[in-house]
Each structure stands twice: as C-alpha cells, then as structure tokens.
Amino acid sequence: MSHDRSGHLSRRSALLLGGAALCAPAIARAATQDIPMAQQEAIVAAPSRHNISAFREIHWQDHFDTLDRVTLIADTHSKALHYWAVNGADYRLYPTSVPMTDALTKRGYTEIVRKKVGPDWTPTKSMLVKDPSLHYMPPGPDNPLGTRAMYLSWPAYIIHGTHDTRKIGRRSSSGCIGLYNEQVESLYELCPVGTQVKIL
C-alpha cells in the first residue's frame, strides 16, 4: 500500500488499487464517482506529491470500542468521511468539505439524531451577524444543505449534501460536513438514526 511520509494513503494509490487494499471496491467508487473523468485520469497520472487530495488511513478501533452500530468518522484534516457498517461488513470513503476555520470546527463524539430528505435551511444567529443578507431557504437547488441532511446531537452541526460541488475537498463550510449530493443520498440510506459519529 502506498503512503506518503505523513502516513496518508494517496488518492492515486486508492484508485490504482481499486480500493482492494482497503477492503472494499466501494471506496474508489465513492471517492471518485462525481469527479470528471479527465480529472480522475490526471489524478492517477500525477505523482503522489502533487495530488489534489490525500486520505489518511483511519482505524475505527482507535476511536470506538465496537462496531455494534453504523459508524462514521469525519476527518477534517484530510477532508474525508469514513463509513463502517455494523461489524465492519462494509467500508466506504467519501471526500467532503469541512469547516473554514478551527474555530468553527467541533470535534469529538456525537451521533445522528434525525434525518431529512429535501432539508430546508435557516441561518444561525452567528451567520446573520457576519452576513445580514442571509435568509431562510426552502428545499431546492439554492439550498446549502443539498438533497439530504443528517443532523448531529450538537445543534446546527449537520452531515449534508451540497449543490455547489466546488466546496468538496475544501475548507468551505460554517461547521458542517458536506458531501456531493449523489454520495450523501447513498450514505443517507446506510445511516440510521443512532449512527455513532466522531469528528477529528
């Protein structure tokens, strides 16, 4: 398995290995299905040190005692979300957007407490202080939560989709973890209320 010196598994390696080294072909598909083919080919062709993104290997055993329920670990450093099914029967890796600053990043243990298809969005008080032009947005193509939202036990922290695909792989959120809409729709079906979550 190819790693860079910081212990990251390069996206190039994940693609070349087809995800087999990480236990499931779904990894490579999840990580790249929404990236244009030309860009995928460029990632594979480029030396690892020039990758546009690199994923760290994460082991659930370092963070949880058991996999007795669905488990998510969002790694804000490598901008990736790791998914494990109950008892490790399936593992997937998704590229994400992460909070813009450390001050906006809440780390630790939480869980999914509710889910919503076609979420609406209301700016928080702190968002309105920074930008008074923000306003309530119903479900639709302009909604910053995309097509699916999974709400965490921390108020105003959500794992959700985004219509703005430029945000993925970047520090671009106000505290949430964002995914491509197509990927959050798949993940949504895999994660029941009660899914255990850790944000790194």
Side-chain angles (χ1 to χ4, degrees):
M1 203 179 306
S2 173
H3 295 74
D4 66 21
R5 293 184 183 182
S6 63
H8 289 67
L9 174 68
S10 69
R11 176 177 282 177
R12 177 174 181 262
S13 298
L15 289 171
L16 292 175
L17 293 172
L22 296 177
C23 306
I27 298 166
R29 291 196 304 273
T32 62
Q33 71 181 29
D34 297 300
I35 299 173
M37 184 55 69
Q39 189 174 345
Q40 290 184 38
E41 291 170 355
I43 292 168
V44 172
S48 296
R49 67 182 179 276
H50 297 305
N51 279 356
I52 60 170
S53 180
F55 301 123
R56 292 192 297 177
E57 269 191 282
I58 299 291
H59 301 283
W60 67 264
Q61 297 93 334
D62 295 335
H63 306 280
F64 294 97
D65 292 331
T66 67
L67 280 183
D68 59 353
R69 53 181 166 150
V70 174
T71 298
L72 299 176
I73 297 179
D75 183 359
T76 60
H77 176 76
S78 63
K79 305 174 187 71
L81 180 70
H82 301 257
Y83 159 90
W84 289 268
V86 176
N87 297 323
D90 187 16
Y91 168 74
R92 304 184 187 207
L93 176 65
Y94 300 91
T96 68
S97 62
V98 298
M100 289 181 279
T101 66
D102 284 340
L104 292 171
T105 305
K106 190 170 181 70
R107 294 183 173 89
Y109 292 93
T110 181
E111 65 179 14
I112 294 173
V113 295
R114 70 183 177 97
K115 300 166 58 177
K116 181 72 183 270
V117 174
D120 57 357
W121 178 78
T122 302
T124 64
K125 290 180 180 178
S126 61
M127 290 177 184
L128 288 170
V129 167
K130 293 179 182 177
D131 185 354
S133 70
L134 295 175
H135 56 86
Y136 167 82
M137 300 187 81
D142 296 324
N143 188 300
L145 299 185
T147 60
R148 302 287 188 278
M150 295 181 284
Y151 299 82
L152 303 178
S153 60
W154 304 324
Y157 286 87
I158 308 166
I159 297 171
H160 63 81
T162 180
H163 299 290
D164 186 353
T165 58
R166 297 170 298 177
K167 292 186 174 183
I168 303 302
R170 299 176 182 274
R171 288 182 166 266
S172 57
S173 82
S174 296
C176 298
I177 303 297
L179 290 84
Y180 292 112
N181 277 329
E182 293 82 357
Q183 293 181 350
V184 80
E185 289 166 13
S186 170
L187 186 65
Y188 185 95
E189 298 303 321
L190 299 172
C191 296
V193 168
T195 291
Q196 61 184 358
V197 179
K198 186 175 184 182
I199 311 293
L200 302 179

